[in-house]
Amino acid sequence: CVCVCVGTCFAYFAGTTSPHDQRTILTSCQPPFFLFETQSQIPISLNWFNPQGERIISNQRVVLHTEGVRSRLTIYNAIIEDAGIYRCQAVDAKGQTQEATVVLEIYQKLTFREVKTPQEFRQGEDAEVVCDVISSPSASKCTLILKKRVARVLPNNNLQILKVAKEDEGVYRCEARVEARGEIDFRDIVVVVNVPPVLSVPKESFNATADYQESVTFTCITSGSPDPEVTWLRKGREIERSEQYVLSTLEGGKSTLTIKNIKQGDGGPYTCRASNKAGSKESEILLKVFVQPHITHLRNVTAVEGSAAMISCTAEGEPLPEISWRRASDGQTFSHGDKSQDGRVEVQGRHGKSMLTISGVRLSDWGRFDCEALSRIGGHQKSMFLDIEYAPKFQINHTIFYSWEGNPVNISCDVMSNPPATMLWRRDRFTISNEGTSNTRIHTAEGRSLLEVTPMSDRDFGRYNCTARNNIGARYQEFILAQADVPSNPYSVRFASVSQRIATVTFMKPDSHGGVPIGYYIVNYKDQSSQEWRTVKSHGVQTMVLLTNLEPNTTYEVRVAAVNGKGQGEYSHTETFQTLPIRK
Ligand SMILES: *[C@@H]1O[C@H](CO)[C@@H](O)[C@H](O)[C@H]1NC(C)=O
Ligand SMILES: *[C@@H]1O[C@H](CO)[C@@H](O)[C@H](O)[C@H]1NC(C)=O
Ligand SMILES: *[C@@H]1O[C@H](CO)[C@@H](O)[C@H](O)[C@H]1NC(C)=O
Ligand SMILES: *[C@@H]1O[C@H](CO)[C@@H](O)[C@H](O)[C@H]1NC(C)=O
Ligand SMILES: *[C@@H]1O[C@H](CO)[C@@H](O)[C@H](O)[C@H]1NC(C)=O
């Protein structure tokens, strides 16, 4: 724009974005206008004043060029602030001044200052599509040409769409015009409407059994714009893909979480979270994990006879199992609150814990007890043994043993005890060592101790003491080693059948066998007229003897004696019988 300085000077910037970038020169001009020459006055100075009234001094951007009666003001890179009235003052030799002014107007090109595209909104909110345009003089009207639906243009030229909907999405055009210059420009703005996620869960609760390699798959269906991202959470932490967790996204907004190899600890709530720019939504899915009953604690118990035994059984599982007991000895079962008929056995405890109490434990309580844990989904059984400890008990009442000098005899001490007892023998106050003595030996086996005594004199007969001891207690039993005697006499000698040459003799065994068993009987017989006894031995302890080779028609005398280890006893009464005569 070259102005000859009468009146107004326009500057027009062809720049594009900011006025500061514009490289346009404003040229102003002078003298002839002042008509200095016509007044024959040569000005001695020519000064310029800016719109603020300050005298202009040349600098890099604002340059004064004076040549004779002509002065030129050049403004490089003009800015809006340079607009205003510039004054040119001429002073002549007489000190007279003359002035002229020039008006500098600066127009700004139409500029879209903040036209972001795309512009995003949340469905349902009142959207304000921003189209900030500057120009000078100001653009006549910024209009937005709506793609689909009529909306309201606000005084600040922004476009307002009330309760924006997904259908409002699209391209909107913002057009600005400076009619004075015929300038027109537009911007296309993409309006994006984001829709917060909507989430649905087809199945909210799942059942599974632990430790059966079971899997469950949760499904979460989402929609929204942009497509929501689905995350799965457990206890507030995001679940990541792993050996156990399989995450997948299917068509139609379906997302799944598969939990493999379910364990007890996997039970509880899981969260499906869908989120996008417009918001997030959550839904909970519950996994109920059942666990088979499992007995975790059942021990063998040892109780002391007469005391109380407490047997506890603990089981885990989901739901917690109920516990019952079975006594193997008679098959009787007990559960919470049950008592045995005699009141000694009692069971208390529910929900995975039970205690079986036996008071006044007896040896008959010994044996196996089965604990069974049972829940809706299964059962588990385990057995334990109740062992009963007791002080030694002597097994035999046979406390008198017989022998005779030189005859070894085993005195047997039989004991039942738990735990096994140690046994020792005593005579008077002296302990007989296990090595024995010259005439005693000790043979020990479990539950039995044999004291083998070979009596040498009267002193070896008498009382012997067997003491049995375990950690429960000690007991003793006295044994008597008695001198054996010969048996007393047999009696009731009879003749069962008598013929010419043969007779059968029967008799009763003696009242006393002398302390040791009878070995056999001796039967003496002779012809009444003879002096010599003939002898027949019984077969073992048979109380019947057959006499043969007798003379017919003869009277015989018979007597019987018993023999034991000690020797032969007294004879019975002598009896007589007669053999039959020979018939003619
Ligand atoms: C899970 O088990 C419970 C208890 O047995 C039952 O009430 C419920 O219906 C089951 N749920 C499913 C999804 O099978
Ligand atoms: C319990 O006692 C039984 C029978 O005495 C035995 O077989 C089993 O090994 C014992 N169990 C334990 C854990 O000691
Ligand atoms: C031993 O004898 C006593 C008394 O006669 C009796 O009570 C007990 O049962 C007997 N014991 C054995 C083991 O025979
Ligand atoms: C006593 O018992 C021991 C061991 O059983 C045996 O060797 C011995 O012969 C027995 N003695 C007598 C006299 O029976
Ligand atoms: C056997 O032992 C008991 C207990 O030590 C004692 O009282 C008793 O007198 C003893 N008897 C003999 C014969 O030693």
Side-chain angles (χ1 to χ4, degrees):
C1 168
V2 178
C3 316
V4 174
C5 309
V6 191
T8 309
C9 188
F10 297 96
Y12 176 74
F13 305 123
T16 50
T17 51
S18 137
H20 296 281
D21 291 340
Q22 292 158 10
R23 308 249 174 241
T24 303
I25 303 164
L26 162 71
T27 314
S28 194
C29 46
Q30 260 324 315
F33 165 76
F34 286 112
L35 303 173
F36 293 129
E37 286 158 312
T38 54
Q39 289 178 7
S40 307
Q41 298 282 335
I42 310 274
I44 50 169
S45 71
L46 275 170
N47 291 318
W48 286 89
F49 295 89
N50 68 13
Q52 286 75 42
E54 296 153 355
R55 194 164 78 87
I56 294 171
I57 295 158
S58 272
N59 60 29
Q60 203 112 37
R61 198 169 70 83
V62 181
V63 178
L64 279 177
H65 188 77
T66 308
E67 208 175 74
V69 296
R70 193 180 279 256
S71 178
R72 194 168 68 219
L73 172 65
T74 308
I75 302 173
Y76 297 96
N77 296 337
I79 56 173
I80 294 209
E81 289 71 27
D82 292 330
I85 299 167
Y86 286 79
R87 203 151 47 89
C88 176
Q89 191 182 58
V91 183
D92 66 11
K94 288 181 187 155
Q96 283 181 317
T97 61
Q98 286 217 26
E99 291 186 353
T101 59
V102 71
V103 176
L104 173 63
E105 283 182 6
I106 295 181
Y107 291 168
Q108 185 167 15
K109 183 180 168 10
L110 253 182
T111 306
F112 288 97
R113 249 211 311 217
E114 193 191 323
V115 184
K116 253 190 12 198
T117 183
Q119 293 185 28
E120 297 190 36
F121 303 97
R122 235 179 98 135
Q123 171 168 267
E125 72 180 0
D126 293 342
E128 192 170 329
V129 184
V130 176
C131 181
D132 187 2
V133 71
I134 52 164
S135 70
S136 69
S138 59
S140 68
K141 269 270 164 63
C142 253
T143 52
L144 281 142
I145 298 160
L146 204 52
K147 206 183 145 211
K148 287 180 188 136
R149 201 169 74 133
V150 182
R152 194 161 73 95
V153 177
L154 298 172
N156 63 4
N157 287 333
N158 286 347
L159 177 78
Q160 191 188 47
I161 311 170
L162 292 175
K163 298 215 162 45
V164 71
K166 188 71 185 161
E167 305 81 73
D168 298 328
E169 234 177 37
V171 181
Y172 289 77
R173 175 164 293 181
C174 169
E175 190 181 87
R177 268 188 226 114
V178 180
E179 270 161 14
R181 292 198 300 273
E183 195 183 354
I184 185 162
D185 200 359
F186 68 85
R187 286 288 183 276
D188 282 340
I189 301 170
V190 175
V191 169
V192 172
V193 178
N194 293 327
V195 182
V198 174
L199 191 155
S200 71
V201 168
K203 195 174 168 200
E204 284 172 350
S205 95
F206 289 79
N207 287 343
T209 307
D211 309 319
Y212 279 82
Q213 269 80 44
E214 274 189 37
S215 299
V216 288
T217 299
F218 303 149
T219 305
C220 199
I221 299 166
T222 60
S223 62
S225 182
D227 284 344
E229 197 167 291
V230 173
T231 49
W232 293 89
L233 297 107
R234 168 135 210 264
K235 293 176 179 161
R237 295 182 62 179
E238 187 177 336
I239 292 174
E240 274 164 24
R241 180 182 300 270
S242 68
E243 193 110 308
Q244 202 198 356
Y245 298 117
V246 179
L247 302 164
S248 54
T249 309
L250 310 170
E251 290 196 349
K254 239 186 187 180
S255 290
T256 61
L257 165 66
T258 302
I259 305 171
K260 299 203 293 192
N261 206 349
I262 286 173
K263 304 221 163 30
Q264 180 167 17
D266 293 329
Y270 288 75
T271 303
C272 165
R273 177 188 288 165
S275 38
N276 64 12
K277 287 179 185 171
S280 75
K281 258 275 169 53
E282 288 186 358
S283 207
E284 220 170 61
I285 295 177
L286 195 69
L287 174 61
K288 175 108 184 118
V289 176
F290 294 111
V291 182
Q292 286 277 1
H294 180 76
I295 294 171
T296 54
H297 180 95
L298 181 67
R299 295 242 175 93
N300 283 349
V301 169
T302 301
V304 174
E305 184 183 16
S307 70
M310 300 208 286
I311 310 168
S312 78
C313 183
T314 310
E316 286 178 350
E318 182 62 48
L320 268 177
E322 291 303 335
I323 290 175
S324 62
W325 297 84
R326 186 176 167 280
R327 183 163 65 188
S329 60
D330 60 357
Q332 201 178 338
T333 57
F334 300 91
S335 49
H336 174 69
D338 288 350
K339 251 187 184 182
S340 66
Q341 245 170 1
D342 60 9
R344 290 189 309 116
V345 181
E346 202 178 339
V347 167
Q348 289 290 334
R350 318 205 58 187
H351 310 305
K353 269 204 164 110
S354 182
M355 173 85 80
L356 180 134
T357 313
I358 305 173
S359 47
V361 167
R362 297 176 186 163
L363 290 190
S364 59
D365 295 324
W366 182 93
R368 201 183 82 217
F369 287 78
D370 304 325
C371 168
E372 181 169 40
L374 205 65
S375 80
R376 206 161 7 87
I377 65 158
H380 185 214
Q381 190 185 302
K382 259 189 171 175
S383 299
M384 60 77 64
F385 282 84
L386 174 63
D387 193 19
I388 296 163
E389 290 189 335
Y390 54 94
K393 293 177 199 290
F394 291 97
Q395 284 292 87
I396 39 149
N397 268 354
H398 177 209
T399 57
I400 298 185
F401 289 79
Y402 291 88
S403 190
W404 56 94
E405 282 169 29
N407 178 57
V409 63
N410 276 336
I411 303 175
S412 171
C413 178
D414 291 272
V415 159
M416 249 176 58
S417 69
N418 185 24
T422 56
M423 288 182 263
L424 55 87
W425 288 94
R426 266 186 296 182
R427 174 113 171 102
D428 302 325
R429 279 203 223 98
F430 304 105
T431 301
I432 301 168
S433 85
N434 281 339
E435 283 78 50
T437 60
S438 59
N439 64 335
T440 58
R441 284 173 69 193
I442 292 174
H443 308 278
T444 313
E446 179 155 340
R448 160 174 286 190
S449 183
L450 295 177
L451 177 67
E452 187 176 10
V453 183
T454 311
M456 303 310 258
S457 66
D458 283 355
R459 282 192 37 227
D460 292 331
F461 294 96
R463 292 171 188 279
Y464 288 84
N465 228 345
C466 171
T467 305
R469 182 190 304 275
N470 66 8
N471 61 335
I472 309 300
R475 299 284 185 274
Y476 72 91
Q477 189 169 37
E478 276 185 2
F479 292 87
I480 294 167
L481 180 57
Q483 287 251 30
D485 205 348
V486 292
S488 58
N489 55 291
Y491 53 95
S492 291
V493 178
R494 301 265 187 280
F495 306 100
S497 67
V498 178
S499 63
Q500 289 152 341
R501 295 187 183 277
I502 298 169
T504 304
V505 181
T506 66
F507 49 88
M508 302 287 277
K509 60 183 185 185
D511 292 336
S512 161
H513 50 62
V516 288
I518 290 168
Y520 56 93
Y521 297 95
I522 285 174
V523 177
N524 287 357
Y525 66 102
K526 67 176 175 72
D527 181 344
Q528 211 171 17
S529 56
S530 163
Q531 290 303 308
E532 251 175 65
W533 291 97
R534 284 153 68 183
T535 301
V536 178
K537 269 201 211 171
S538 68
H539 277 293
V541 289
Q542 262 189 347
T543 53
M544 189 187 77
V545 170
L546 191 65
L547 305 179
T548 53
N549 296 329
L550 303 175
E551 290 297 321
N553 203 17
T554 310
T555 302
Y556 283 94
E557 289 180 346
V558 175
R559 61 183 190 184
V560 184
V563 180
N564 68 8
K566 172 83 175 174
Q568 183 182 326
E570 278 178 30
Y571 282 109
S572 64
H573 281 294
T574 303
E575 304 287 343
T576 61
F577 71 94
Q578 188 163 18
T579 50
L580 297 179
I582 296 174
R583 278 187 214 151
K584 298 233 168 80

